[in-house]
C-alpha cells in the first residue's frame, strides 16, 4: 500500500529518527507530495522533511525531492539570519552587562540535535531577568535596536509582560523575553530557579552563547507546545526530542512543576506530543501524563489560553490575575485599563475604545466561566 | 607572521552543497563556500598562520584575501 495522505505523511516526517514511533499500517510506503510540502510551509520542519527524504522514511519523487531540498536550504539560510540577530543581541547585552539566555529554536538546534540543520527557525528569542529590563533596553537602543510597539507603561512591562518585540539594527526580529511564557503559568513558574542553574553553552558566530539547561529547555518546550498557540508539530517535536533523544530528567521537571502549579502544562504537552507523533505509550512520562489530573485552577487557566489563541490576548491576560497577590492585581488592572497614550495611539484606540474593549473581554470571559 | 581567524559574528553551517556562511554586519544573502574555500574555512576552527593554511591549500593566500575582502575572515591580531 502507498499513502500520500499529506497530514499523515507530515506527522510521520515530524517524528523522523525518534525511538518508539508506533508502526501504523505495516508495509505502507509514505510518499511526500507537493500537497505535503505546502502543509509544511509555516511549520518550520523543513529540516526534518529533508532528513525523512534522505533517509528513505518517505519517498519524494522528482521534482518534489528538489523542492524539498530547496525549501530546506532556504530555511537554513533564514536560520542563519536569525542567528545573526541573536549574535547582535548578545553583543549589545554584554556591553550593557546584562546576562542573557538564548531560547527556543537556536538553542535547541545547537544543543539538542546532532545536526543543527534539522531544526530551523525564523527569529531570535533571548531571555533576560525582569530586574534587567531597563538596562537591557537602554543597551539595545544604544546599539541601534528599536522597539516595535510602545510599552503599556514601562513599569507595567517590566513587571507583567512576557516579552518585548524589537527590530535589530539589520532589520531582524528579536523577542526579548522577560519570562518563558505569559499569563497565569508565566507568573507561576519560578524563573529565579531557572536562572540559578548552570547554563548550557554553545558557539554562536565565534562567541559563547548561554541557554537554559536541558530541564529548563524542556519545560519551555512544553509551555510553547501547549500555550504557544499554533506552534504545532515543531514544538511537539522539541518536546519529544529532548525527552527521547536527549533523555531530559523529566521527573525532576514534573516535581518542580508540581511545586509551581504548572504540572498540567507538562502533562498536556506530553499527551499531545504522544498523540500527534504516535509514540509508544509505554514510556513512563507518557503514562504519568495519561494519568495526570489537572487541578480546577489549572484547568481554568488552560482554557483561558485556548480562548486567547482563538480570540486574542485578553483571556490569557485575565488569567494572570489569578496568580497575582492583591497589590499586583491592582497594579496589573490599573496598567491594563489605562495604557500609555503612545501605546493606545499605536493600537489605534481612544481611551473610550480601550475601556469598551476591556469591558467586552471581561464580559466574554465571565460568560464562558473562564475567570 | 600573519594569523587569520573567522570574523566575529560569521554564522555558518556545513551542508552538502558546501559551507553556507552569513557575512556579519550585512543584510546580504549568505555565501556558499566550496572547494578550497570550504576547506580553509573549516581549518579556521582556531586562528591559523598563513603558512599552516598553505598546507591545507596551495592557494590559501588568494582564498584568505577573497574571504577577508567580503568580511568573512580577519587577521587575528587586529582583534586585540
Amino acid at each position: 500500500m502507498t499513502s500520500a495522505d499529506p497530514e499523515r505523511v507530515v506527522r510521520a516526517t515530524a517524528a523522523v529518527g525518534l525511538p518508539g514511533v508506533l508502526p501504523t499500517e505495516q508495509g505502507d510506503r509514505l510518499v511526500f507530495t507537493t500537497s505535503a510540502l505546502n502543509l509544511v510551509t509555516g511549520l518550520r520542519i523543513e529540516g526534518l522533511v529533508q532528513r525523512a527524504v534522505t533517509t528513505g522514511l518517505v519517498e519524494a519523487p522528482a521534482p518534489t525531492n528538489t523542492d524539498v531540498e530547496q525549501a530546506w536550504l532556504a530555511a537554513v539560510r533564514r536560520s542563519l539570519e536569525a542567528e545573526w540577530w541573536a549574535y547582535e543581541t548578545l553583543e549589545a547585552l554584554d556591553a550593557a552587562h546584562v546576562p542573557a539566555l538564548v531560547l527556543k529554536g537556536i538553542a535547541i538546534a545547537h544543543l539538542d540535535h546532532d545536526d543543527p540543520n534539522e531544526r530551523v527557525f525564523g527569529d531570535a528569542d533571548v531571555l533576560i531577568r525582569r530586574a534587567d529590563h531597563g538596562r537591557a533596553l537602554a543597551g539595545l537602543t544604544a546599539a541601534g535596536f528599536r522597539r516595535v510597539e510602545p510599552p503599556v507603561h514601562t513599569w507595567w512591562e517590566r513587571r507583567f509582560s512576557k516579552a518585548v518585540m524589537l527590530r535589530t539594527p539589520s532589520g531582524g526580529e528579536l523577542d526579548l523575553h522577560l519570562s518563558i511564557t505569559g499569563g497565569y503559568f508565566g507568573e507561576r513558574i519560578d524563573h529565579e530557579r531557572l536562572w540559578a542553574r548552570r547554563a548550557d553553552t554553545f558557539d554562536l558566530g565565534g562567541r559563547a552563547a548561554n541557554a537554559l539547561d536541558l530541564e529548563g529547555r524542556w519545560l519551555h518546550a512544553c509551555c510553547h507546545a501547549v500555550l504557544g498557540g499554533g506552534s504545532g508539530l515543531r514544538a511537539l517535536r522539541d518536546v519529544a526530542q529532548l525527552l527521547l533523544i536527549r533523555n531530559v530528567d523529566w521527573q525532576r521537571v514534573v516535581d518542580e512543576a508540581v511545586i509551581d502549579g504548572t504540572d498540567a502544562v507538562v502533562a498536556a504537552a506530553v499527551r499531545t506530543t504522544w498523540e500527534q507523533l504516535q509514540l509508544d505509550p509505554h514510556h513512563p512520562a507518557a503514562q504519568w501524563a495519561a494519568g495526570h489530573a489537572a487541578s480546577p485552577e489549572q484547568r481554568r487557566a488552560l482554557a483561558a489560553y485556548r480562548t486567547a489563541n482563538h480570540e486574542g490576548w485578553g483571556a490569557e491576560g485575565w488569567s494572570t490575575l489569578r496568580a497575582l497577590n492583591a497589590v499586583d492585581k491592582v497594579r496589573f488592572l490599573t496598567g491594563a485599563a489605562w495604557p500609555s497614550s503612545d501605546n493606545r495611539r499605536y493600537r489605534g484606540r481612544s481611551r473610550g475604545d480601550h475601556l469598551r474593549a476591556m469591558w467586552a473581554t471581561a464580559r466574554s470571559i465571565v460568560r464562558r466561566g473562564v475567570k | 607572521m600573519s594569523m587569520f581567524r573567522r570574523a566575529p559574528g560569521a554564522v555558518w553551517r556545513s551542508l552538502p552543497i558546501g559551507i553556507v556562511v552569513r557575512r556579519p554586519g550585512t543584510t546580504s544573502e549568505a555565501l556558499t563556500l566550496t572547494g578550497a574555500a570550504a576547506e580553509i574555512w573549516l581549518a579556521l576552527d582556531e586562528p591559523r598562520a598563513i603558512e599552516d593554511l598553505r598546507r591545507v591549500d596551495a592557494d590559501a593566500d588568494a582564498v584568505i584575501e577573497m574571504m577577508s575582502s567580503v568580511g568573512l575572515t580577519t587577521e587575528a591580531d587586529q582583534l586585540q
Side-chain angles (χ1 to χ4, degrees):
Chain A
M1 289 281 288
T2 298
S3 175
D5 170 20
E7 287 193 12
R8 185 179 160 211
V9 172
V10 168
R11 266 207 313 272
T13 297
V16 61
L18 292 175
V21 177
L22 293 175
T24 46
E25 287 119 90
Q26 296 286 343
D28 267 11
R29 288 167 54 231
L30 300 175
V31 180
F32 204 88
T33 59
T34 304
S35 304
L37 191 58
N38 291 338
L39 211 55
V40 161
T41 306
L43 291 178
R44 298 217 177 97
I45 58 167
E46 293 92 334
L48 298 171
V49 175
Q50 173 69 7
R51 177 172 171 186
V53 169
T54 53
T55 58
L57 173 74
V58 299
E59 294 176 23
T64 307
N65 57 347
T66 307
D67 294 341
V68 164
E69 186 178 59
Q70 290 306 312
W72 170 58
L73 292 173
V76 171
R77 287 190 163 92
R78 279 199 305 276
S79 301
L80 288 177
E81 284 298 310
E83 287 191 0
W84 166 249
W85 305 334
Y87 180 93
E88 288 180 294
T89 305
L90 296 183
E91 290 286 288
L93 291 175
D94 268 2
H97 307 290
V98 174
L101 299 171
V102 177
L103 299 174
K104 293 165 68 175
I106 298 179
I108 287 175
H110 285 277
L111 292 167
D112 300 313
H113 286 262
D114 288 342
D115 178 1
N117 301 311
E118 276 179 14
R119 176 59 166 92
V120 296
F121 38 84
D123 63 0
D125 295 87
V126 172
L127 177 70
I128 60 164
R129 287 188 175 91
R130 287 196 185 278
D132 290 329
H133 169 268
R135 213 148 35 95
L137 285 178
L140 290 167
T141 303
F145 288 70
R146 294 288 174 264
R147 54 182 307 142
V148 172
E149 184 177 342
V152 171
H153 292 286
T154 303
W155 61 267
W156 194 92
E157 182 174 86
R158 179 174 58 244
R159 171 61 188 86
F160 299 113
S161 281
K162 169 189 165 187
V164 183
M165 193 188 291
L166 295 133
R167 290 276 166 234
T168 72
S170 54
E173 184 181 325
L174 166 68
D175 286 338
L176 185 69
H177 285 252
L178 304 167
S179 63
I180 60 171
T181 192
Y184 173 89
F185 292 110
E187 282 295 323
R188 298 301 301 255
I189 291 168
D190 180 351
H191 282 77
E192 274 313 307
R193 185 170 59 219
L194 296 176
W195 278 100
R197 293 204 195 117
R198 185 182 178 148
D200 281 345
T201 302
F202 62 95
D203 181 277
L204 185 67
R207 58 158 291 146
N210 289 333
L212 292 167
D213 70 346
L214 178 57
E215 282 67 35
R217 292 199 298 284
W218 193 60
L219 174 65
H220 191 196
C222 289
C223 290
H224 195 53
V226 176
L227 312 174
S231 44
L233 288 173
R234 178 181 74 254
L236 301 181
R237 170 63 190 231
D238 287 344
V239 172
Q241 178 80 16
L242 273 59
L243 188 50
L244 299 176
I245 304 284
R246 296 281 284 120
N247 296 315
V248 64
D249 184 351
W250 66 271
Q251 189 62 61
R252 178 179 166 189
V253 177
V254 167
D255 291 346
E256 291 173 351
V258 169
I259 292 169
D260 289 349
T262 59
D263 44 308
V265 176
V266 178
V270 172
R271 279 197 304 271
T272 310
T273 300
W274 253 249
E275 180 190 315
Q276 288 290 311
L277 301 184
Q278 301 188 4
L279 300 169
D280 179 1
H282 295 101
H283 190 285
Q287 296 201 323
W288 166 79
H292 180 270
S295 68
E297 181 94 356
Q298 293 194 61
R299 278 205 302 275
R300 274 194 292 271
L302 284 171
Y305 283 81
R306 279 195 294 274
T307 304
N309 289 341
H310 290 106
E311 297 177 11
W313 177 83
E316 180 185 319
W318 285 104
S319 78
T320 308
L321 283 173
R322 300 188 69 88
L324 300 176
N325 63 34
V327 173
D328 275 343
K329 277 187 173 75
V330 172
R331 297 177 72 216
F332 181 90
L333 284 172
T334 303
W338 284 275
S340 68
S341 306
D342 285 347
N343 181 272
R344 275 193 297 102
R345 265 196 295 275
Y346 176 83
R347 292 196 275 170
R349 282 181 175 179
S350 68
R351 196 168 294 285
D353 290 341
H354 180 75
L355 288 171
R356 274 189 290 277
M358 270 196 79
W359 177 243
T361 304
R363 281 179 55 193
S364 159
I365 289 166
V366 169
R367 251 201 323 270
R368 289 164 187 272
V370 181
K371 298 172 192 167
Chain B
M1 181 172 64
S2 295
M3 300 280 286
F4 292 91
R5 61 165 287 179
R6 295 176 191 142
V11 288
W12 60 280
R13 297 291 179 83
S14 180
L15 299 170
I17 58 167
I19 306 285
V20 177
V21 54
R22 189 196 181 285
R23 296 162 58 192
T26 69
T27 53
S28 56
E29 274 276 289
L31 301 173
T32 304
L33 307 176
T34 57
E39 286 179 40
I40 286 175
W41 185 263
L42 293 174
L44 288 172
D45 266 339
E46 57 190 59
R48 299 284 290 266
I50 193 69
E51 288 78 7
D52 290 338
L53 295 173
R54 282 191 200 114
R55 280 192 278 274
V56 178
D57 188 88
D59 291 331
D61 301 70
V63 173
I64 283 286
E65 190 181 335
M66 179 279 289
M67 290 204 285
S68 294
S69 71
V70 294
L72 292 181
T73 55
T74 185
E75 285 196 49
D77 55 6
Q78 287 183 355
L79 296 170
Q80 292 160 7

